[in-house]
Amino acid sequence: MGKKRIVKNLLVLFSSFFIFFLGFQSLSNLQTSMNSYKGIGVESQVLIYAASMISCILLPKLLIKTIGCKWTIVSMFLCSVPYFVSNYKPSFGFFMPSSILMGIAIGPLNTAGAFYIDEMSLRYYTINTSDSMETILARFFGLWSFFLENTQIWGNLISYYILRPARIPLTNHTNNTCGINFINNLNGNGTNPNLQPPSEEKRYTLITIYVLSAVVAASVMVFFMDKLDNDIQREEGGQCKAVLYRLLATAKHAISLDQILLLPLSIFFGMELAFYTGEITQAYIACSWGVHRVSFVTVCFGVCGALMSLLVGPLVKCISQMAVLILAALADVSICIVLFLWDPTPDFKTMYFVVAGVWGMADSIWWSQLAALYSLMFPNNREAAFSNLFFWSYFGFFLNYSYSSYFTVAVKINILLCFLLAGMLGYLIGQVKLKCSVRKMYVSIPGEGDCL
């Protein structure tokens, strides 16, 4: 496979994920505020990530080995359509089962995407040996992160222009509890006019766009991306035996020392994005400035994240991956301190964008470099490694959303910081251990060949 073909496949993959997450991520940002009544939005997120935890352990290897990375991704795109449709008129009877199906899709979707990029990186490295494998992985996963962060720009611009009212009153927030002491009201926060959900007409328009995003993403993948001929392998002994074997392999990987050291950081990876989409968007932006402003401010999150995604590859090459991850940790700690001290008010609009922008840059680093880190540390067990990465990150999402309606923002920030500090400590110990040992050779999947 030549360089042009590798680049073409990566661009198709990145574009498809961009189109899909344009809808999914923008909708996730709005769940706690747009579907706040009886906590249905938060509960849907809990179910999504609970199902994702299970699916990323049981399904990715089975689907990838049976139908390949390409068709795994296409199938998961289409499985998400009922979830988008259920947002037209959310009810527990349809919304919750479709959220579970969405969660089942997310696990194999992200694992197959990471696995495909990892394989393309390996093939690119065999052609272009002037760059190290670490640099190539950082560059390609950074580009993936760039496309995903761009969904925060364009998806939220769409949401903002559709949801904004004709006349936007600047509501005084002094009678409302926003910021550090905010706690979600399961009755829909009806006492705060800033948290009123959008009209039915605007909701229908927005959700229709999101449904189309999933269908278009699947279509682009079907017609333009090559499938690998070395990721489909038939298992002896039937599928049940194969699933059991993969489950045991993933569980065995989960108790390895290197994986245990990365466990707190992997959980934090999910918690930090869930904290933004579930807490910062509602407690700081929507509460004090209006639901429609959530998308407007989150555009800054996407812009800064996308720019950092382009810079992270050169940064890793210049100052090392460890320094870049420490930079992301310091950025998150700084913003947590700001959130403790800041009383959100529209009189000081700049702070909304500072918080969103810095958090977006850190999120971009976590997203790209943790995937690259797993690929480097577990070169001969990539599928089990990626399954563990996404399992624990989804556990982070699940954990954050599960207590979202019961604790104040102050308590949630303290929990988040505990996981960050424990995660960085485990990461640094793991890196010292790795540098003191003989690094494993990075090997390809058996039976490597060109795409069909």
Side-chain angles (χ1 to χ4, degrees), residues 1-15 116 120-121 123-124 127 139-140 143 147 224-226:
M1 184 184 294
K3 288 185 181 179
K4 290 184 178 179
R5 198 171 181 186
I6 292 172
V7 171
K8 185 268 293 185
N9 283 322
L10 287 173
L11 287 176
V12 172
L13 177 71
F14 297 156
S15 300
Y116 194 93
M120 290 297 103
S121 300
R123 297 185 182 198
Y124 191 88
I127 300 172
R139 183 183 304 149
F140 287 165
L143 284 172
F147 277 80
F224 298 107
M225 195 178 87
D226 297 325

Side-chain angles (χ1 to χ4, degrees), residues 106-126:
I106 287 293
L109 173 63
N110 283 327
T111 303
F115 188 84
Y116 194 93
I117 295 169
D118 186 72
E119 177 66 11
M120 290 297 103
S121 300
L122 175 61
R123 297 185 182 198
Y124 191 88
Y125 175 69
T126 60

Side-chain angles (χ1 to χ4, degrees), residues 247-299:
L247 179 60
L248 292 175
T250 305
K252 182 180 179 180
H253 180 85
I255 61 175
S256 66
L257 179 58
D258 288 338
Q259 176 61 62
I260 291 173
L261 290 172
L262 289 178
L263 191 149
L265 195 61
S266 302
I267 295 174
F268 171 79
F269 171 43
M271 291 181 70
E272 61 88 17
L273 183 55
F275 182 80
Y276 180 86
T277 59
E279 313 305 335
I280 295 179
T281 57
Q282 185 181 29
Y284 287 87
I285 305 171
C287 180
S288 61
W289 210 12
V291 171
H292 61 283
R293 296 287 189 183
V294 169
S295 300
F296 182 59
V297 175
T298 305
V299 168

Side-chain angles (χ1 to χ4, degrees), residues 105-160:
I106 287 293
L109 173 63
N110 283 327
T111 303
F115 188 84
Y116 194 93
I117 295 169
D118 186 72
E119 177 66 11
M120 290 297 103
S121 300
L122 175 61
R123 297 185 182 198
Y124 191 88
Y125 175 69
T126 60
I127 300 172
N128 179 25
T129 56
S130 60
D131 290 329
S132 67
M133 190 65 190
E134 183 180 62
T135 301
I136 294 172
L137 284 167
R139 183 183 304 149
F140 287 165
F141 278 106
L143 284 172
W144 191 27
S145 176
F146 171 76
F147 277 80
L148 292 175
E149 294 294 343
N150 262 279
T151 64
Q152 295 281 14
I153 303 174
W154 303 106
N156 285 295
L157 278 176
I158 293 171
S159 301
Y160 171 68

